[in-house]
Amino acid sequence: MRILVTGASGLLGLNLCLHLADDHHVFGVLHSQELYKPPFKTFACDLNNDHSLGSLIYKTRPDLLIHCAAMANVDACESQPEAAQRVNAELPGVLAALCKKKGIRFTHISTDAVFDGKMGDYTEEDNPNPLSVYARTKLEGERIVTAEYREAIVARVNFYGFSLSGHRSLAEFFLNNLKTGSPVNGFVDVMFCPLYVIDLVDTLMMMVSKELKGLYHVVSPESLSKYAFGVKIADKFGFDKNLIQPKSVTDGGLLAARSPRLTLKIDKLIAAEISPPGQTNCMEHFQRHYLEHLPEKIKTLSG
Ligand SMILES: NC(=O)c1ccc[n+]([C@@H]2O[C@H](COP(=O)([O-])OP(=O)(O)OC[C@H]3O[C@@H](n4cnc5c(N)ncnc54)[C@H](OP(=O)(O)O)[C@@H]3O)[C@@H](O)[C@H]2O)c1
């Protein structure tokens, strides 16, 4: 397949491009961050520029576009709401309309954070209630994509993995600090169902191959607190778990409001005979890639 991936320097986009490059023609869209000799073709482009979009599609002739680019920093969205609206809400609609017109399959990445996290165990039928600018603009993006292109996949995700900067994901935060013996806080009252990013990529590709369409929760069937997640990393990598202080999110001093119980049900995905892995398997894959020096390989791409 010819696959165009936006946000190819981001945590999800980069891992996706690297993982799929062996079996597919992958074209990664870069923005302000360059990559040094990546094993896939790249194009630099500001996706807010409509002219660039047309020429990108013309040059790459994709069968599938996976839209990973976003303003994904929750606090940056809070301080720049107009930019967040443009990138997270309006841009996905423009891409969806373009893909529909050209007959390109479209997978849009959204977030578990569209829910307020008061109830937990949300299905795709439950009403979202976004608490932050990030979550509100991402929800609007989902709705615009669905209205523009009914055949698109809209995936609400949560994931961790190794990033270009080395500190984009929560797993890297725990790993980096535990490795140097630095004490860290872990929230005991924030629950989530993250997938290791490569497990997420495999799940998304299964959804594409089964020609699913519409809104899906694409997370692990097992939830845990952010504190328990840190402890799991400490246990798996042999670090001292006592370095992780159990804390409440209300003590965290975060700018944008966070949703406490972001546990999502994945029955719809399972009904399509797709079963993403539980936490132990995800952590196993994460550690295996660490031992295979994936963080170092990713680091060399930053030049
Ligand atoms: N990380 C998580 O745990 C998480 C959880 C739930 C959902 N998600 C969703 O998953 C998706 C991927 O997130 P991520 O963590 O991989 O994000 P990320 O690491 O912050 O990467 C975002 C990417 O988007 C690109 N981008 C931003 N504005 C752009 C523009 N105008 N034109 C072209 N590219 C642009 C960035 O390029 P530059 O840096 O060069 O600008 C970067 O490559 C997003 O939709 C996010 O909402 C993430």
Side-chain angles (χ1 to χ4, degrees), residues 172-200:
E172 292 173 306
F173 164 79
F174 281 119
L175 209 49
N176 295 339
N177 282 292
L178 293 170
K179 213 190 296 181
T180 54
S182 312
V184 285
N185 294 338
F187 298 137
V188 288
D189 47 5
V190 179
M191 303 292 294
F192 68 148
C193 320
L195 281 173
Y196 172 46
V197 66
I198 300 300
D199 294 309
L200 171 60

Side-chain angles (χ1 to χ4, degrees), residues 105-144:
R105 295 163 75 189
F106 185 58
T107 296
H108 174 61
I109 305 300
S110 189
T111 173
D112 55 355
V114 295
F115 294 108
D116 60 19
K118 289 184 182 141
M119 185 177 86
D121 292 339
Y122 297 101
T123 72
E124 290 83 350
E125 304 293 312
D126 286 320
N127 279 334
N129 182 28
L131 297 182
S132 65
V133 171
Y134 167 70
R136 180 178 52 70
T137 54
K138 290 294 292 183
L139 177 62
E140 203 175 322
E142 283 185 359
R143 288 180 170 160
I144 298 174

Side-chain angles (χ1 to χ4, degrees), residues 71 76-77 80-90 133-134 137:
M71 230 173 116
C77 289
Q80 301 165 60
E82 284 164 15
Q85 175 70 17
R86 211 165 44 247
V87 176
N88 293 344
E90 293 162 21
V133 171
Y134 167 70
T137 54

Side-chain angles (χ1 to χ4, degrees), residues 7 9-12 31-33 45-48 68-70 72 109-111 134 138 157-159 168:
S9 62
L11 176 59
L12 175 57
H31 181 220
S32 54
Q33 170 87 51
C45 160
D46 180 351
L47 292 168
N48 285 320
C68 305
I109 305 300
S110 189
T111 173
Y134 167 70
K138 290 294 292 183
V157 303
N158 194 301
F159 56 91
R168 172 79 185 88

